[in-house]
Amino acid sequence: MKRSRSSRSLLANGSTTTTTPASAAAPLNPLNPPATPVAPPPLPPDVILPPVVGVPPAQPNRAVARQIRGPQSALTDFLASKNINANQIRVDANNRRAAALVAQQAAAGGNDNEDNEDPDSEPEPVPVRRKNESKAQETKRKKEEEKAIAKIKASKKFRRQRKQYGSEADNTDEDEAARAIFESSMAPLPDQLDNCELCGKRFTVTGYTRKGPDGGLLCPKCTKDLDKEEGSALKKKKTNQGRARRKIQSNLLDGIYPGAKDLMTLCIETLAKNVDQADDFGDLPPSLIDRLAAILSKKRLLNPSTFNLFLRPDFENVTVYDGAKLSSDDYIRIFQIVPKVKSVRLRNAVQFKNVVMDHLLATTVELESLSLHGANLIDDERWERFLREKASHLKVLKVSYTDGHFGDETLGVLAETCPKLKRLKVCHNQKVTDAGLLHIAKLPNLGQLSLDIYNNTSSGPYVEILSKVGRGLRTLSLAAAHYVDDTVLSAIHQNCQNLSKLRITDNEVFTDQAFANLFTDWNNPCLTYVDLHKCRHIVANEPCENPEGVGFASLGFEALMKHSGRTLKHLNVNSCRHISAGAFEAVFASGKNYPELEDMNLSFCQFVNDLVVGCIFRSCPKLKTLKVFGNFGVRDVRVPKGKILIGVPNALGMQIEGIDDHDEATGHVI
Amino acid sequence: MVSNSNNGMSKYVTLRSSDGFEFVVLREAACRSGAIRRMLDPKSAFREAAASVCTFEEINGIILDKVAEYFYYNHKNRNQEDVPDMDIPPELCLELLMAADFLDSLFTVCSSLHC
């Protein structure tokens, strides 16, 4: 490739004919030295300029050259005032063209064209951008380059990279590495043209262009060849490692401990993989069938054909964990094939619509339990008919994500027609209001109640429900009741005497003192499941201040653990930010023991740190998973074997300590 | 089969299938199944404990072979984190699942009674 300076200036002069033919000739005329500020004498129009090639090189003195000019456009004037020279742009373009030409000729097999260019310029591999610069510019550039390289060498990122890869790379010369980084940062940007390092061909640089062995860029064809040569071994190894790590983390989130899987999991996974070959599940016990249904749904394998495996005339339960791929006809099939079905549990059952409901109403199926999630196409009229005609046997009704359906009137009908109802769940409901909630108080046999109403609700109806049916409740779940107040907590304290599961979430009114009062001297057996997440004070400008003691905080936490610590299995106090470090340390102090606690979520409780986590592992022998997302005080805690710590804020994840303490305590072995 | 030593606790136990196949397995490995551990517990008065032989009337030789293989797979990998899954032939899957359910569920029942 020829990119000599003389050829450049030569072309530069040749290309000055920019504006009009008459004026363009001016700077070229050897009789008019560019330095003279005098305007050129007007040339007769028939003057023919000598051919460009062969004109002796003029001094590239742009500042002066600008003085001698003919009429020029406003744009040129403006650009000139900004120190942008149309000439220079043209020159560069011509140079590139020339370089491409030379490259083509070289590729065509002839080196004999070289004498077209300046003979004394060595065909040294000078990078493209150095082709047109003066001595001063060169020294300046070199200086800047050195500066940039020194800067790269001093940067933290560079040092870290060196640390990481230093041992494996042989050519670990620091200067070289720094220069490589510098050059890669200076390489042509996407959409610009460059010459291929190997074949010299001209090509467009894209984001996917890869580097050659000497640091230059490669054209797509050479890239392909090089890729083939190297093979993808290196790349594959890296992605496999990443995949394995991700798999372990994903398993941890699912509560699967790293290490050998138990035999049942292995079998179920194999079965899920080969489900298309299965004709029948044989005599699998219902619990296993349920697990299979769950894992098939998780792998998105539940479709009309695999769904048949779960439909057998003698079944009493049909569970679909994800019915997104099932059509209305499939849902109708449930009632055709399994006429004795007592319990239907369907999630994401969007296609369970009016047609299916009409079919159900026309059958003799007597459901005891109906759980529908996402069936938002059943209108209120159908719900009412269902409740009037089919609800006399109903013991369990769970309805969630029904959008604009299943409102106050429907709950009113439910209270009339379902005296036996033991379990009611109305979640993610956009239609029910305070008036509808009051109907729930008329269900005397209610044992389990879950409410998650999107409309703003007030305390009154909840207090009414609790005073009427609170005594019999074993489960109470009030999610997203944002503005109900302490009267609800005191109603729980007064009325509930059989609770084992309590969930009150997402509230910013309850006070810590009210929580403490609830759990102090409460005439209720110890709870086994407590979820109080997001019961906390929110003020954006003063996040740490909580003068009113709003939310579930230190007092409530200590009172809860004192009341229920003996039997508590699941505890979720996610985002209860005002539980103090002192409260955690007091609750999990060395003498304390929480023998049943298996699963705890302390995410976003800002005072949870290494010490607290260590104390928790000490006082909870059965603990399996502990979640600590967003707790930056947890840095370097050693996790005893058999326990899972999720959400440690570093890339390594949890560090396991010790060996398998294989005894009676560890439950799942095979 | 295996001579009893060390006050009746041999290092190996025998698992016998419904069709008469016998598998001699490390006691430690076999005891990873709760059911077998309960059967062989010297404190319990089961006949299996005395003889160190467990007979499974509902599990045939082919399945018990896989189960024994799993015991050793599990035993070998007990302290590893990144373990490749054991290969399970799809045709044995359902029966093996039943066996696994049996071997583990017995344990859960026992332990909950025990508590």
Side-chain angles (χ1 to χ4, degrees):
Chain A
M1 257 171 280
K2 292 236 160 197
R3 290 184 207 112
S4 72
R5 203 160 299 127
S6 58
S7 81
R8 176 211 140 252
S9 47
L10 181 141
L11 282 162
N13 281 313
S15 64
T16 6
T17 48
T18 42
T19 42
T20 59
S23 69
L28 285 178
N29 198 333
L31 297 173
N32 282 319
T36 36
V38 188
L43 285 171
D46 57 345
V47 165
I48 295 165
L49 290 167
V52 170
V53 183
V55 175
Q59 282 302 93
N61 194 345
R62 278 178 228 153
V64 186
R66 226 190 312 143
Q67 305 295 317
I68 310 159
R69 59 182 184 199
Q72 52 178 225
S73 70
L75 178 65
T76 314
D77 227 15
F78 171 73
L79 289 176
S81 73
K82 296 282 173 203
N83 228 359
I84 299 169
N85 193 339
N87 261 352
Q88 194 54 43
I89 295 167
R90 182 171 305 270
V91 166
D92 287 350
N94 278 343
N95 270 341
R96 278 200 296 275
R97 248 171 256 148
L101 193 71
V102 171
Q104 264 173 9
Q105 282 167 345
N111 280 349
D112 43 335
N113 294 328
E114 270 185 17
D115 43 1
N116 284 1
E117 307 281 333
D118 202 26
D120 58 9
S121 72
E122 289 294 318
E124 50 179 0
V126 186
V128 186
R129 81 194 79 79
R130 296 188 199 171
K131 65 198 171 196
N132 39 18
E133 62 184 3
S134 66
K135 269 268 189 274
Q137 275 173 322
E138 195 183 329
T139 46
K140 195 181 164 202
R141 178 182 58 75
K142 284 219 169 122
K143 237 189 209 164
E144 269 168 8
E145 234 180 74
E146 268 164 30
K147 238 196 237 166
I149 288 175
K151 206 172 167 190
I152 288 170
K153 268 200 261 180
S155 73
K156 265 188 196 160
K157 193 180 159 197
F158 176 69
R159 273 197 225 140
R160 200 166 53 228
Q161 275 178 359
R162 297 283 299 167
K163 222 178 187 180
Q164 254 170 352
Y165 304 113
S167 52
E168 62 193 53
D170 287 335
N171 51 344
T172 52
D173 190 9
E174 208 178 31
D175 292 310
E176 248 172 58
R179 178 163 286 275
I181 290 175
F182 172 74
E183 270 169 15
S184 72
S185 72
M186 294 294 286
L189 292 169
D191 290 340
Q192 292 181 343
L193 288 171
D194 194 17
N195 287 4
C196 174
E197 184 190 79
L198 293 180
C199 64
K201 244 191 205 158
R202 203 96 182 114
F203 71 99
T204 313
V205 178
T206 69
Y208 301 101
T209 305
R210 67 168 283 182
K211 265 189 234 141
D214 297 329
L217 296 174
L218 295 183
C219 70
K221 195 170 167 289
C222 294
T223 308
K224 218 184 232 172
D225 293 344
L226 199 68
D227 278 345
K228 240 182 230 164
E229 231 172 80
E230 281 181 357
S232 46
L234 198 74
K235 215 173 162 189
K236 222 176 212 167
K237 194 180 152 203
K238 208 173 171 190
T239 51
N240 274 347
Q241 263 177 4
R243 202 172 296 145
R245 198 189 66 84
R246 269 201 297 280
K247 186 78 207 154
I248 289 180
Q249 291 302 322
S250 150
N251 280 343
L252 281 178
L253 288 177
D254 289 348
I256 300 169
Y257 197 74
K261 285 180 188 152
D262 59 50
L263 185 54
M264 214 163 349
T265 311
L266 282 175
C267 289
I268 288 178
E269 282 178 359
T270 319
L271 196 53
K273 251 182 243 163
N274 298 289
V275 73
D276 48 321
Q277 294 170 25
D279 301 323
D280 191 350
F281 285 149
D283 299 325
L284 282 184
S287 63
L288 281 183
I289 289 193
D290 191 56
R291 264 187 87 177
L292 265 169
I295 206 158
L296 285 181
S297 290
K298 188 186 168 195
K299 291 180 185 288
R300 307 254 184 262
L301 287 170
L302 194 79
N303 53 33
S305 68
T306 51
F307 183 50
N308 287 333
L309 294 169
F310 297 95
L311 298 179
R312 272 211 339 229
D314 54 329
F315 281 180
E316 293 201 333
N317 303 319
V318 174
T319 301
V320 174
Y321 285 94
D322 181 359
K325 287 184 184 168
L326 301 182
S327 67
S328 298
D329 288 345
D330 294 314
Y331 292 117
I332 290 178
R333 224 141 34 95
I334 297 175
F335 306 109
Q336 290 170 336
I337 301 179
V338 200
K340 284 196 288 179
V341 67
K342 293 266 182 278
S343 154
V344 174
R345 194 151 57 114
L346 309 171
R347 287 199 201 154
N348 289 352
V350 186
Q351 300 299 327
F352 197 108
K353 33 191 189 189
N354 285 343
V355 204
V356 186
M357 201 46 121
D358 286 340
H359 185 270
L360 170 60
L361 290 171
T363 61
T364 56
V365 170
E366 291 178 344
L367 286 179
E368 287 180 4
S369 158
L370 176 66
S371 167
L372 275 181
H373 171 287
N376 56 6
L377 297 171
I378 303 174
D379 57 26
D380 277 347
E381 184 198 339
R382 293 306 193 297
W383 276 118
E384 197 179 322
R385 272 187 64 202
F386 170 76
L387 290 175
R388 291 200 186 281
E389 292 171 28
K390 288 278 173 193
S392 54
H393 302 268
L394 210 59
K395 289 181 183 151
V396 179
L397 180 64
K398 299 189 197 173
V399 181
S400 36
Y401 290 103
T402 46
D403 291 357
H405 307 295
F406 205 89
D408 295 346
E409 300 79 20
T410 318
L411 278 175
V413 176
L414 180 76
E416 276 172 44
T417 58
C418 285
K420 286 187 197 162
L421 201 69
K422 289 185 173 161
R423 187 168 182 175
L424 176 65
K425 176 172 171 176
V426 180
C427 282
H428 305 281
N429 188 306
Q430 300 177 12
K431 206 177 180 191
V432 172
T433 61
D434 280 350
L437 290 179
L438 284 171
H439 295 301
I440 296 174
K442 300 177 205 154
L443 293 164
N445 294 315
L446 222 48
Q448 284 152 301
L449 176 63
S450 266
L451 297 173
D452 183 350
I453 311 291
Y454 283 173
N455 287 324
N456 278 338
T457 46
S458 58
S459 308
Y462 292 104
V463 174
E464 171 73 10
I465 292 171
L466 286 165
S467 61
K468 289 278 162 56
V469 301
R471 197 166 291 270
L473 285 182
R474 279 171 288 121
T475 298
L476 175 64
S477 168
L478 306 177
H482 303 292
Y483 306 110
V484 301
D485 59 24
D486 291 346
T487 52
V488 173
L489 292 185
S490 64
I492 295 174
H493 183 88
Q494 283 162 16
N495 296 300
C496 297
Q497 295 174 4
N498 287 303
L499 278 187
S500 67
K501 174 174 172 177
L502 175 65
R503 174 185 289 128
I504 301 172
T505 64
D506 224 340
N507 178 292
E508 38 195 285
V509 179
F510 292 144
T511 60
D512 195 20
Q513 190 57 49
F515 275 113
N517 293 343
L518 165 63
F519 296 118
T520 314
D521 300 327
W522 187 16
N523 189 16
N524 188 71
C526 302
L527 301 167
T528 55
Y529 188 111
V530 174
D531 180 357
L532 297 172
H533 77 259
K534 292 193 187 167
C535 284
R536 80 301 199 209
H537 181 58
I538 314 176
V539 175
N541 50 5
E542 282 180 331
C544 293
E545 298 300 313
N546 187 12
E548 308 286 316
V550 172
F552 182 71
S554 308
L555 293 175
F557 186 57
E558 287 183 45
L560 165 69
M561 295 309 277
K562 200 173 162 205
H563 175 264
S564 300
R566 270 189 299 127
T567 56
L568 200 60
K569 279 187 179 174
H570 308 276
L571 174 66
N572 185 350
V573 291
N574 176 3
S575 296
C576 296
R577 295 178 295 127
H578 297 288
I579 304 176
S580 67
F584 279 120
E585 282 164 34
V587 164
F588 298 105
S590 68
K592 300 284 173 68
N593 189 17
Y594 302 100
E596 300 295 326
L597 206 54
E598 287 175 7
D599 168 35
M600 213 179 341
N601 188 343
L602 303 181
S603 304
F604 304 99
C605 293
Q606 54 189 342
F607 295 109
V608 172
N609 55 20
D610 282 352
L611 176 68
V612 171
V613 172
C615 291
I616 289 172
F617 284 138
R618 185 181 56 197
S619 42
C620 309
K622 271 199 188 170
L623 192 70
K624 278 186 192 141
T625 49
L626 174 61
K627 288 183 188 150
V628 291
F629 286 103
N631 295 338
F632 293 95
V634 183
R635 288 164 203 276
D636 185 30
V637 72
R638 293 277 146 181
V639 182
K641 186 93 182 172
K643 303 191 191 307
I644 299 174
L645 181 64
I646 300 171
V648 185
N650 64 26
L652 270 174
M654 66 169 199
Q655 305 292 302
I656 297 167
E657 183 180 65
I659 54 153
D660 200 353
D661 52 339
H662 177 65
D663 55 21
E664 301 282 325
T666 52
H668 239 65
V669 197
I670 184 165
Chain B
M1 178 133 290
V2 179
S3 64
N4 289 359
S5 57
N6 295 348
N7 57 17
M9 291 280 282
S10 71
K11 212 177 150 196
Y12 293 90
V13 295
T14 306
L15 309 179
R16 187 180 293 142
S17 72
S18 60
D19 44 1
F21 287 94
E22 292 191 346
F23 300 88
V24 181
V25 186
L26 254 182
R27 180 187 289 269
E28 202 189 339
C31 281
R32 299 191 81 77
S33 149
I36 295 179
R37 184 164 2 127
R38 302 296 304 182
M39 284 166 138
L40 294 173
D41 188 350
K43 278 176 272 174
S44 69
F46 291 130
R47 199 178 45 194
E48 284 89 348
S52 284
V53 176
C54 299
T55 308
F56 299 103
E57 293 298 344
E58 285 118 8
I59 304 178
N60 68 30
I62 301 168
I63 300 299
L64 199 57
D65 176 35
K66 242 355 191 187
V67 171
E69 187 187 331
Y70 176 79
F71 283 151
Y72 274 95
Y73 159 82
N74 192 310
H75 185 66
K76 197 180 80 187
N77 294 314
R78 64 192 178 284
N79 283 327
Q80 319 256 302
E81 270 192 41
D82 192 12
V83 184
D85 286 352
M86 192 175 95
D87 201 32
I88 290 173
E91 62 274 16
L92 298 183
C93 217
L94 282 173
E95 283 177 88
L96 202 54
L97 193 54
M98 303 273 274
D101 185 45
F102 170 72
L103 290 172
D104 204 25
S105 68
L106 195 56
F107 166 64
T108 357
V109 171
C110 286
S111 65
S112 62
L113 285 176
H114 201 65
C115 283

